[in-house]
Amino acid sequence: MKKNFITIFFIFCSIILIAQNKNSRPKIGLTLSGGGAKGLAHIGILKAIDSAGLKIDYVTGTSMGSIIGALYAIGYSADTIEKMGRQMDWDLLLSNESSLRSFGMQEKEDYSKYAVELPWVNKSLRLPNGVLESEELWLKFSEFFFPVHHIKDFSKFPRSFKCIATDVANGEMVVLDSGEIIQAARASMAIPTIFTAVNYKNKKLVDGGIVRNFPVLNAKQMGADIVIGSNVTTSLLPQEKIKNIFQVLLQIAFFREDEDAKKEEKLCDILVNHKLDEYNMGSFASGNEIVDEGIERGRELYPQLKKLADSLNLIYGEQKSVAVTLPKQDSVKVTAYEIKGLHKTNTDFFLYRLDFKLNKIYNQIEIAEKIRNAFGTNYYNKIVYSLNPLPDGSYKIIFDVEENPFTFMKLGINYNKFTGISLIGNITSRNFLTPFSRSQITFNLGENFRLRGEHIQYFGRKKSLSLTATSQVESVTNNSYSNFNKQGLYDQGYFLSDLNFRYSPTRSLSFGTGARFENLYYAPKVISNLAISGNVNFWSGYVFIKANSLSNIIYPKSGSKTHLEYGFANHQMQELQFSLNNKLIQNIDSLGIDYNSYTYLKLNSENYFPISKRFNFFTQIQAGIDFNRRQGNIINAFSIGGLTNVYRNQITFAGLDEGTILTNSVSSLQVGLRCQLYNNIYVTGKSNFAFYDFIDKNFTPTNSKFLSGYAVSFGYNFILGPLEISAMYCDQSKSVLPYINLGISF
């Protein structure tokens, strides 16, 4: 209390001295430091300033301080900024992922599947200059700063603004005070090796915290007589807390920042140091708690701010209005365009994918959605835009595009209880064989070998028509079961050749028709009572519908994914032998096995519903029916079991291992609840039931069999993909089984 009184006394004396030398009201500056997630605490100080009725004239900031400071400078209230901070999807914004909904149907299947993706440029693999580009972050900034798109001089904002970045070429400080505010804020927060550098006015810029993390001096230079500083960074660690090599390296890295911060703090008239030792720069999952800490600190600061406001009003008289409003312009008429950065794709392709038309009125949401149309082709790494006013009141839109290299090498790791450990690799190349095409080879090296080649050719003005040719070969080791007990072990070889034609009217829907040839090969390794050896092949014609509106591929928060296929399998040709107790069976008809033509239906539908920020409810409906086939015909039957879909004709089921039951008719329903405990840590509960063997070859209902099972999973999503450790139970087998899966399967 005594300290606050002394601070207020000196500020009051300073105001008297300023008043004696000036006729005008003293200018007040606000400086917000960098600090990553901890910078969200600045919001609490803004709320205290607004509550006290204190008018801020100048705002400076670095990194996260530049983002929050820029929002405040252009006219957003502290309450609005708080709402933004609490509602932000940080997992999406601070990743290289865009919403899965941004991508076309055939691009969704491989998006975000691999841990490492390296571009092939100039006959070699290239490492990126940073990990995160984040198109969604660019679009979110474009949305937030849209009201001031026409203001290129930051001193013309409702509150004059400057932020700090670092020139990566020479390590010098760059003060950003004009141009595009979106690029300026993004450059100021571009932490080296984490975020990609930003090209800005012929300079490559990175995080300003390298040179000046707490730019109080800049506020003084702008003309601030009184500066309020909010610093969320902590001082260097004391000697006794430096216990490992990482802490030593961090200590060295922050030497310069700590020395500069001490100098800057001395320039503050009101200094706010936050108590955020339990958080770090990446604690965005604790964003609400950090905002709450800032609000509490703002409450403590409020009496000082209120006395400062009252003192100024006492000396200079009350201001007519201290309210700062956001410029009101939520849409523009676009009459001209310019596209920068196109080399491998052309203007027509870009504009068609963008679905952009001149002489129309657009708001920021509509422009962002159109950019996602083009970004979803995977031809582009970044698309940002700026708006320049024209004399007639309309605008010219300038797209700044960074194209993706045409070829990428991708790597991932997968471990599954069923398939074992695998290295999954992929080479994807666009326009390699023909224009507007995608060719790729995917391989699985491990206990089970798999290889797939695919070529997609796009047609039409909007490339909504496509022809896909796929070939796949694999070898998988399966267990055979009898009455839920393992009986034998056999190798199953598989060859696929598929050609389909599809139409995709939207990014979330496609339908079409195709034909495929399949060959299955069986070789016993551990002979069971009933053993199969040899091969069978057949042709199929089919029609299909696919829909995918999932928000993301890993732990989706909302949306649905459905695949429905109806087909006709014929021309089965076989060279199979069956043996019972090591004796060859001559009359296979006695086993209920035939090779007649038949029709089939396959369905898999997943649906996700957000209940709250941390809880999601989900359902999964699966069905597989071979019409006109005898029950008990295990050739090309549906395989029930497993928590992860890893091979053909599989119906996943919590409670059973893969392949526990083979059937020609099955339908199942699964319901579950997922809780995000902390950051990337999840707990999931699942319950499912199924009916199988419910029709015969004449599609006559039979006495169906029933299954029920449950699973509880602990999940951690990290750089190699999701790691899930599960325990599952089936009422019919009465067994508790473990299940482990790492990464995304082949």
Side-chain angles (χ1 to χ4, degrees), residues 393-431:
S394 65
Y395 283 82
K396 177 182 181 179
I397 189 167
I398 301 173
F399 296 102
D400 192 354
V401 179
E402 182 180 304
E403 294 174 310
N404 271 325
F406 275 176
T407 302
F408 276 83
M409 175 71 178
K410 309 175 186 180
L411 292 172
I413 291 177
N414 177 244
Y415 173 79
N416 184 273
K417 180 186 175 184
F418 175 72
T419 58
I421 185 73
S422 301
L423 173 68
I424 301 177
N426 174 279
I427 300 173
T428 297
S429 185
R430 298 180 187 278
N431 299 7

Side-chain angles (χ1 to χ4, degrees), residues 8 140 226 366 521 556 570 593 660 719:
I8 294 167
K140 183 57 69 174
I226 300 169
E366 292 168 335
Y521 174 79
N570 63 351
I593 295 173
T660 300
I719 191 169

Side-chain angles (χ1 to χ4, degrees), residues 66-347:
S66 73
I67 297 167
I68 293 175
L71 293 172
Y72 193 60
I74 70 171
Y76 284 106
S77 69
D79 288 341
T80 302
I81 298 172
E82 178 191 3
K83 186 177 180 180
M84 291 175 176
R86 292 189 186 276
Q87 293 181 347
M88 206 82 76
D89 186 350
W90 295 108
D91 289 342
L92 177 62
L93 297 181
L94 300 179
S95 73
N96 268 338
E97 293 188 12
S98 287
S99 171
L100 195 61
R101 294 166 182 153
S102 300
F103 293 88
M105 282 296 295
Q106 288 176 290
E107 299 296 331
K108 292 181 181 185
E109 295 174 11
D110 284 335
Y111 182 64
S112 195
K113 181 176 180 179
Y114 300 94
V116 178
E117 297 189 11
L118 298 177
W120 181 265
V121 181
N122 296 328
K123 299 181 180 180
S124 64
L125 294 174
R126 174 180 292 180
L127 293 174
N129 62 23
V131 176
L132 301 178
E133 180 67 62
S134 187
E135 177 69 15
E136 286 298 323
L137 184 63
W138 283 105
L139 292 177
K140 183 57 69 174
F141 280 3
S142 297
E143 177 186 335
F144 287 164
F145 294 111
F146 191 86
V148 293
H149 59 263
H150 57 291
I151 303 177
K152 310 302 180 183
D153 181 352
F154 302 167
S155 67
K156 304 298 184 184
F157 289 161
R159 300 179 177 99
S160 185
F161 176 74
K162 290 183 180 182
C163 63
I164 308 299
T166 304
D167 189 336
V168 75
N170 53 31
E172 293 182 356
M173 179 174 66
V174 179
V175 180
L176 305 176
D177 58 7
S178 63
E180 297 298 329
I181 182 61
I182 299 164
Q183 291 183 310
R186 171 64 171 78
S188 183
M189 64 164 287
I191 302 170
T193 73
I194 297 178
F195 286 97
T196 54
V198 174
N199 294 318
Y200 189 81
K201 294 186 176 181
N202 298 319
K203 294 181 179 180
K204 191 175 286 290
L205 303 181
V206 293
D207 193 289
I210 298 170
V211 289
R212 182 168 292 170
N213 196 53
F214 192 37
V216 182
L217 178 60
N218 300 88
K220 289 285 190 183
Q221 292 171 343
M222 291 171 75
D225 301 300
I226 300 169
V227 177
I228 302 167
S230 176
N231 188 3
V232 298
T233 57
T234 53
S235 301
L236 294 173
L237 293 172
Q239 179 179 338
E240 61 273 11
K241 290 190 176 182
I242 303 174
K243 298 179 180 180
N244 57 55
I245 183 63
F246 299 106
Q247 290 173 329
V248 171
L249 292 174
L250 284 173
Q251 192 84 339
I252 294 171
F254 287 123
F255 277 164
R256 181 177 177 181
E257 179 185 318
D258 187 69
E259 181 182 358
D260 184 72
K262 289 177 180 177
K263 294 178 182 178
E264 298 290 325
E265 286 180 351
K266 292 177 182 178
L267 300 175
C268 291
D269 297 282
I270 297 177
L271 174 64
V272 187
N273 280 314
H274 296 263
K275 302 171 184 177
L276 300 167
D277 292 343
E278 62 184 291
Y279 306 105
N280 57 51
M281 295 178 64
S283 298
F284 287 96
S286 302
N288 285 337
E289 291 81 355
I290 294 173
V291 173
D292 291 338
E293 289 279 354
I295 291 174
E296 184 59 35
R297 193 70 184 91
R299 290 194 184 103
E300 296 172 4
L301 182 68
Y302 174 79
Q304 287 180 255
L305 300 176
K306 182 62 176 169
K307 286 187 180 296
L308 174 58
D310 291 344
S311 299
L312 290 171
N313 290 337
L314 179 64
I315 296 171
Y316 297 97
E318 289 201 26
Q319 293 172 296
K320 293 182 180 179
S321 174
V322 296
V324 175
T325 58
L326 193 68
K328 293 186 180 299
Q329 187 171 15
D330 57 5
S331 61
V332 294
K333 183 178 181 180
V334 179
T335 57
Y337 70 84
E338 181 181 352
I339 306 170
K340 300 178 180 179
L342 292 183
H343 305 290
K344 299 176 181 179
T345 58
N346 57 45
T347 299

Side-chain angles (χ1 to χ4, degrees), residues 100 103-110 376 438 458 502-511 545-549 561-562:
L100 195 61
F103 293 88
M105 282 296 295
Q106 288 176 290
E107 299 296 331
K108 292 181 181 185
E109 295 174 11
D110 284 335
R438 188 190 78 181
Y458 295 99
R502 71 174 68 188
Y503 173 60
S504 302
T506 70
R507 286 174 290 171
S508 299
L509 176 67
S510 65
F511 53 87
I545 297 175
K546 290 186 176 184
N548 188 335
S549 62
K561 179 182 179 181
T562 299

